[in-house]
Amino acid sequence: MSTTQTSKIEIIKAATTKINEVDFENLSFGSVFTDHLFECDFKNGEWQKPVIKPYAPFLLDPSTRVFHYGQAIFEGMKAYKDEDDAIWLFRPDENYKRFNKSAVRMAMQEVPEDIFMSGLKELLQLDEAWIKRGKGNSMYIRPFMIATGTGVIANPSDDYKFMIILSPVSAYYAGEVKVLIAEHYSRAANGGIGAAKAAGNYAAQFYPTSLANKQGFQQVIWTDDATHTKLEEAGTMNVFFRINDTLFTAPVSERILDGVTRKTLLELAKSEGINVDVRPVLVSELVEASKNGSLKEIFGAGTAAVVSPISGFSYQDVYYELPKNENSMALQLKDKLTNIQNKLAEDTFGWTVKV
Ligand SMILES: *Cc1c(COP(=O)(O)O)cnc(C)c1O
């Protein structure tokens, strides 16, 4: 890890605010950004002075490495405001560590903790008026890094740009989600980059997902690339299966991203006395459980939607509908988690961190 000391952040304030143009009651996820962004460049072998400045487009040379070889990584996290207007982050150390894990895998520069955390906190404080109180409301935080070195030689870049942008969001409802179980395409492979939050992982998913969309499915459940028999992730989320009263999810691996929501839900479920079983889950088990009525729920888990219930799945051209649950574990766990995040319930786990 780089040990560069950062000097204080330079802050250039926007002359005007866009906040009055925003309809906070009707936010569409990730489409509105706050007045400022955080930026820190890695150049000449070192991190430069970090700056917070007005949110605006910027120019890059056409030969900039990120356009050609895709060295780009990101994180997704959230901040919340409590009833006393204090700002809270949820397990930010997990996102920080994962960001640098992704950086290492993509042969990019690791970001010093001080730059990441102090940049994040200063930016949230400056744009605090954009964070709304109340259940479901939060500030979606998007730290990302791109290769900014120029020239089309296929080598890792020497230069990088690390940025943080902020997008206010409200409770996210995906509507009915029917999924298609992947029989041919793969999101990740052993030895690949599936465990990194690399931009390219998303690009690789778009085409197979669009094929599923044409068949009437909103998402794809990815299976292992070698045999397509193990259930791995749902779209860009980790995935849980409830069979009778046990919650199953696959162990993290080189092919499965180590989601903060996934590990949090596992801990929450255990503390609620719910039986959890972390092991590879087979497509054949899911089909069997659906046929014999023991399959109660499937849901995705990730920062954006928290929990996203799935209403049915298709495998080998057969559609399996899930029962409508009165006492959904997905919604029970989502409620517990969002109450902790929004500081409406006590955080006995020590997950929330004051800004
Ligand atoms: C970001 C992401 C997740 C969810 O991770 P969280 O930390 O819970 O937001 C799951 N799978 C993939 C592929 C992801 O990129």
Side-chain angles (χ1 to χ4, degrees):
M1 203 172 293
S2 169
T3 53
T4 319
Q5 276 304 106
T6 52
S7 45
K8 242 174 94 46
I9 303 168
E10 182 188 354
I11 298 180
I12 305 165
K13 285 195 185 164
T16 54
T17 178
K18 301 173 290 188
I19 198 166
N20 300 320
E21 295 158 28
V22 177
D23 178 1
F24 283 87
E25 304 295 307
N26 295 293
L27 291 167
S28 109
F29 184 87
S31 58
V32 170
F33 295 92
T34 65
D35 291 323
H36 300 90
L37 58 76
F38 173 83
E39 178 184 80
C40 192
D41 288 325
F42 185 85
K43 261 194 300 218
N44 307 320
E46 60 186 4
W47 287 99
Q48 307 293 308
K49 192 178 172 67
V51 55
I52 287 175
K53 60 186 192 181
Y55 186 101
F58 58 97
L59 284 173
L60 287 174
D61 187 280
S63 77
T64 301
R65 252 10 117 75
V66 64
F67 299 141
H68 302 272
Y69 306 119
Q71 275 182 300
I73 59 168
F74 66 93
E75 266 304 321
M77 54 205 293
K78 282 177 174 173
Y80 310 82
K81 200 178 247 181
D82 69 17
E83 291 305 307
D84 301 320
D85 285 340
I87 304 166
W88 297 83
L89 289 163
F90 187 76
R91 309 186 79 172
D93 49 316
E94 296 285 343
N95 297 94
Y96 170 68
K97 282 186 270 175
R98 190 170 66 189
F99 191 75
N100 277 347
K101 217 178 118 193
S102 300
V104 169
R105 181 62 185 86
M106 303 306 285
M108 298 170 82
Q109 195 64 38
E110 287 174 75
V111 176
E113 185 164 8
D114 181 41
I115 292 180
F116 189 101
M117 290 299 176
S118 58
L120 179 55
K121 289 177 180 177
E122 288 268 345
L123 183 63
L124 285 168
Q125 270 156 359
L126 187 61
D127 282 340
E128 67 81 26
W130 293 74
I131 314 174
K132 300 298 175 190
R133 288 186 299 254
K135 198 163 165 123
N137 290 332
S138 63
M139 180 63 79
Y140 184 78
I141 303 162
R142 171 54 60 88
F144 66 104
M145 182 162 56
I146 55 171
T148 48
T150 53
V152 294
I153 179 160
N155 284 338
S157 174
D158 289 330
D159 301 340
Y160 295 93
K161 186 184 284 295
F162 170 63
M163 296 182 114
I164 305 174
I165 53 176
L166 304 176
S167 178
V169 295
S170 45
Y172 185 100
Y173 268 103
E176 196 183 38
V177 180
K178 295 183 191 171
V179 295
L180 185 64
I181 295 185
E183 293 171 51
H184 172 69
Y185 291 101
S186 301
R187 190 196 80 86
N190 284 333
I193 61 168
K197 255 182 130 65
N201 282 333
Y202 283 63
Q205 278 184 235
F206 291 157
Y207 176 67
T209 305
S210 73
L211 295 181
N213 293 160
K214 282 188 196 126
Q215 294 181 59
F217 301 97
Q218 284 70 42
Q219 275 301 345
V220 174
I221 288 199
W222 304 103
T223 49
D224 69 291
D225 62 300
T227 66
H228 295 288
T229 57
K230 294 175 200 152
L231 298 155
E232 307 222 307
E233 296 213 52
T236 59
M237 305 177 98
N238 293 114
V239 65
F240 284 81
F241 309 94
R242 173 184 164 199
I243 298 177
N244 289 320
D245 282 327
T246 300
L247 217 42
F248 292 87
T249 193
V252 293
S253 71
E254 272 190 305
R255 303 182 307 267
I256 299 181
L257 192 118
D258 187 2
V260 180
T261 316
R262 174 190 173 280
K263 71 175 88 178
T264 301
L265 290 179
L266 283 174
E267 287 180 58
L268 259 186
K270 280 184 207 156
S271 81
E272 292 290 301
I274 295 170
N275 214 4
V276 299
D277 197 349
V278 178
R279 63 156 173 86
V281 183
L282 302 176
V283 182
S284 56
E285 283 182 88
L286 195 70
V287 168
E288 187 52 38
S290 177
K291 284 182 179 161
N292 70 26
S294 58
L295 178 66
K296 306 295 183 196
E297 294 178 61
I298 307 177
F299 58 92
T303 297
V306 187
V307 157
S308 178
I310 288 165
S311 58
F313 68 93
S314 175
Y315 180 63
Q316 292 183 336
D317 297 322
V318 181
Y319 183 67
Y320 301 85
E321 178 102 22
L322 283 155
K324 304 256 178 295
N325 268 294
E326 292 289 305
N327 49 358
S328 149
M329 254 182 210
L331 297 184
Q332 179 198 337
L333 290 172
K334 177 177 183 171
D335 198 50
K336 292 264 174 218
L337 178 52
T338 51
N339 280 342
I340 292 172
Q341 291 172 326
N342 285 102
K343 302 302 282 185
L344 299 168
E346 197 196 341
D347 171 19
T348 55
F349 301 89
W351 288 328
T352 51
V353 176
K354 202 168 183 169
V355 172

Coordinates of all heavy atoms in Angstrom, one line a residue, residues 76 98 187 197 202 233 236-238 257 259-262 301-303, ligand 1:
G76 N -19.5 1.1 -4.6 CA -20.8 1.6 -4.4 C -21.1 1.6 -2.9 O -21.0 0.5 -2.3
R98 N -11.9 -3.2 -0.3 CA -12.3 -3.9 -1.6 C -11.8 -3.1 -2.8 O -11.4 -3.6 -3.8 CB -13.8 -4.1 -1.6 CG -14.2 -5.0 -2.8 CD -15.7 -5.4 -2.7 NE -16.6 -4.3 -2.8 CZ -17.9 -4.3 -2.5 NH1 -18.5 -5.4 -2.1 NH2 -18.7 -3.2 -2.7
R187 N -20.5 -14.5 -16.2 CA -20.1 -13.2 -15.7 C -18.6 -13.2 -15.3 O -17.9 -12.2 -15.4 CB -21.0 -12.9 -14.5 CG -20.8 -11.5 -14.0 CD -21.3 -11.3 -12.5 NE -20.4 -11.8 -11.6 CZ -19.4 -11.0 -11.1 NH1 -19.2 -9.8 -11.4 NH2 -18.6 -11.6 -10.2
K197 N -14.4 -5.2 -8.5 CA -15.4 -4.3 -9.0 C -14.8 -3.5 -10.1 O -14.5 -2.4 -10.0 CB -15.9 -3.4 -7.9 CG -17.3 -3.9 -7.4 CD -17.9 -3.0 -6.3 CE -19.3 -2.6 -6.6 NZ -20.2 -3.8 -6.6
Y202 N -19.1 -5.3 -15.8 CA -20.5 -4.9 -16.1 C -20.7 -4.9 -17.6 O -21.7 -5.3 -18.1 CB -20.7 -3.5 -15.5 CG -21.0 -3.6 -14.0 CD1 -20.0 -4.1 -13.1 CD2 -22.2 -3.3 -13.5 CE1 -20.3 -4.3 -11.8 CE2 -22.5 -3.4 -12.1 CZ -21.5 -3.9 -11.3 OH -21.7 -4.1 -9.9
E233 N -24.5 -15.6 -8.8 CA -24.9 -14.2 -8.5 C -26.2 -13.9 -9.3 O -26.4 -14.5 -10.4 CB -23.8 -13.2 -8.9 CG -22.6 -13.3 -8.0 CD -21.9 -12.0 -7.7 OE1 -22.6 -11.0 -7.3 OE2 -20.7 -11.9 -8.0
T236 N -26.1 -8.0 -10.9 CA -24.9 -7.4 -10.3 C -25.1 -7.5 -8.7 O -24.6 -6.6 -8.0 CB -24.8 -5.9 -10.7 OG1 -26.0 -5.2 -10.3 CG2 -24.6 -5.8 -12.2
M237 N -25.8 -8.5 -8.3 CA -26.0 -8.6 -6.8 C -25.6 -10.0 -6.4 O -25.7 -11.0 -7.2 CB -27.5 -8.4 -6.5 CG -28.1 -7.1 -7.0 SD -29.8 -7.0 -6.5 CE -29.7 -6.0 -5.1
N238 N -25.3 -10.2 -5.1 CA -25.2 -11.6 -4.6 C -26.6 -12.2 -4.5 O -27.6 -11.4 -4.5 CB -24.5 -11.5 -3.2 CG -23.1 -11.1 -3.3 OD1 -22.7 -10.0 -2.8 ND2 -22.2 -11.9 -4.0
L257 N -18.4 -11.9 -6.2 CA -17.9 -10.7 -5.5 C -18.3 -10.7 -4.0 O -19.4 -11.1 -3.6 CB -18.5 -9.5 -6.2 CG -17.9 -8.2 -5.7 CD1 -17.2 -7.5 -6.8 CD2 -18.9 -7.3 -5.0
G259 N -19.7 -9.2 -1.4 CA -20.6 -8.1 -1.2 C -20.7 -7.8 0.3 O -20.8 -8.7 1.1
V260 N -20.8 -6.5 0.6 CA -20.9 -6.0 2.0 C -22.4 -6.4 2.4 O -22.6 -6.8 3.6 CB -20.7 -4.5 2.1 CG1 -20.8 -4.0 3.5 CG2 -19.3 -4.1 1.6
T261 N -23.3 -6.2 1.5 CA -24.7 -6.5 1.9 C -24.9 -8.0 2.2 O -25.5 -8.4 3.2 CB -25.7 -6.1 0.8 OG1 -25.3 -4.8 0.3 CG2 -27.1 -6.1 1.2
R262 N -24.2 -8.8 1.4 CA -24.3 -10.3 1.6 C -23.8 -10.7 2.9 O -24.4 -11.4 3.7 CB -23.4 -11.0 0.5 CG -23.3 -12.5 0.7 CD -22.2 -13.0 -0.3 NE -21.9 -14.4 0.0 CZ -21.1 -14.8 1.0 NH1 -20.5 -13.9 1.7 NH2 -20.9 -16.1 1.2
A301 N -28.9 -9.3 -3.3 CA -28.5 -8.5 -2.2 C -27.3 -7.6 -2.6 O -26.3 -8.1 -3.1 CB -28.0 -9.3 -1.0
G302 N -27.5 -6.3 -2.5 CA -26.5 -5.3 -2.9 C -26.8 -3.9 -2.3 O -27.9 -3.7 -1.9
T303 N -25.8 -3.1 -2.3 CA -26.0 -1.7 -1.7 C -27.1 -0.9 -2.3 O -27.9 -0.3 -1.6 CB -24.6 -1.0 -1.9 OG1 -23.7 -1.7 -1.1 CG2 -24.8 0.5 -1.3
Ligands
LIG1 C1 -21.2 -4.5 -6.1 C2 -21.5 -5.9 -6.4 C3 -22.3 -6.7 -5.5 C4 -22.8 -6.2 -4.2 O1 -21.9 -5.8 -3.3 P1 -22.3 -4.8 -2.1 O2 -21.1 -4.5 -1.4 O3 -23.3 -5.5 -1.3 O4 -22.9 -3.6 -2.7 C5 -22.5 -8.0 -5.8 N1 -22.1 -8.5 -7.0 C6 -21.4 -7.8 -7.9 C7 -21.0 -8.4 -9.1 C8 -21.1 -6.5 -7.6 O5 -20.4 -5.8 -8.5

